[in-house]
Amino acid sequence: MGMVVGLVVLVVVVLAVVALVGMYNGLVRLRNRVQEAWAQVDVELKRRHDLIGNLVETVKGYAAHEAGTLQAVTAARTAAMTPGQSPAQAAESEAALSQALVRLNAVSEAYPDLKANQGFLALQTELSSTEDRIASARRYYNATVRELNTKVDTIPTSFLAGPAGVSRMEYFEAEGLERQAPQVSFGSSSGGYGAVPPPAAPPSVGSGPQDAPPTSPQA
């Protein structure tokens, strides 16, 4: 009888150890997945920064006197490229860069020769594609962070988080700013990081007594 009890206790202990090891390894795997997901986000952000740098140089060739807009984009790009930023800080920087890009896009609309430049068009297309990849990588990263943080916050895995060297991770989203930051989509239908819907079309002239007269385009 004593031997049976001993075997039962041994089996329970072994199962408990196996369960603890499984939870421990699960936490470590989740942490590694989060790190890998962030590395992918970082790759796409670096691609974005390179494309924006080339875009600024192209616009400068046609609109060098738009110094304020060009400097604003360059400054925002430099801030976004600051090393050592946390995911939340990077999201804030990228949102600010998106705001600056809107101004750059508005400038490009005033220069037909620039809009027809093949190099500029290619950069627009590649930037739109990169924005889509950033959005996809961001969703995956935030999903893995949510899963990890849930494990860290809930019992029994919360007891193993410390020994496993696992702690809560930051989401790649900016508080307030990111949700409001528009993004230059360059004609991308799917949108990307911080994308906002296009503005509504203006009412047609002559549709009613309150219609405003058309204005001439700016020089």
Side-chain angles (χ1 to χ4, degrees):
M1 188 65 181
M3 183 177 297
V4 172
V5 173
L7 287 174
V8 171
V9 172
L10 179 61
V11 169
V12 170
V13 171
V14 170
L15 291 176
V17 170
V18 170
L20 290 173
V21 170
M23 288 186 288
Y24 181 97
N25 291 340
L27 284 169
V28 173
R29 282 193 296 269
L30 266 177
R31 180 194 62 195
N32 293 342
R33 280 176 54 197
V34 170
Q35 293 172 347
E36 290 170 2
W38 177 249
Q40 183 59 41
V41 172
D42 192 51
V43 167
E44 299 300 340
L45 291 180
K46 288 177 180 177
R47 189 197 312 273
R48 184 188 199 221
H49 301 155
D50 290 342
L51 288 169
I52 291 172
N54 293 335
L55 202 65
V56 168
E57 291 302 316
T58 302
V59 173
K60 189 182 298 183
Y62 289 82
H65 62 282
E66 302 281 357
T69 298
L70 295 172
Q71 289 173 3
V73 176
T74 300
R77 175 177 177 266
T78 300
M81 295 174 64
T82 301
Q85 295 186 89
S86 68
Q89 291 170 335
E92 295 280 352
S93 298
E94 295 298 329
L97 180 54
S98 291
Q99 290 180 321
L101 276 176
V102 172
R103 294 175 57 190
L104 184 66
N105 188 47
V107 166
S108 69
E109 292 295 323
Y111 296 87
D113 290 342
L114 172 61
K115 292 175 61 178
N117 179 275
Q118 292 301 314
F120 182 71
L121 294 175
L123 287 171
Q124 287 181 331
T125 300
E126 183 59 26
L127 183 56
S128 292
S129 176
T130 299
E131 298 285 1
D132 290 340
R133 289 196 295 269
I134 291 174
S136 177
R138 177 189 178 200
R139 286 192 296 270
Y140 177 71
Y141 170 79
N142 284 340
T144 56
V145 168
R146 185 180 303 109
E147 185 178 358
L148 176 66
N149 289 349
T150 299
K151 293 287 187 182
V152 171
D153 291 341
T154 56
I155 297 173
T157 47
S158 59
F159 296 119
L160 297 173
V166 177
S167 58
R168 288 179 58 86
M169 302 290 286
E170 287 186 343
Y171 291 101
F172 181 41
E173 59 186 16
E175 290 297 331
L177 175 62
E178 187 277 332
R179 295 188 179 91
Q180 300 172 9
Q183 177 232 347
V184 55
S185 63
F186 293 123
S188 172
S189 61
S190 59
Y193 182 85
V196 295
S204 58
V205 178
S207 60
Q210 295 180 350
D211 288 335
T215 57
S216 60
Q218 295 181 352

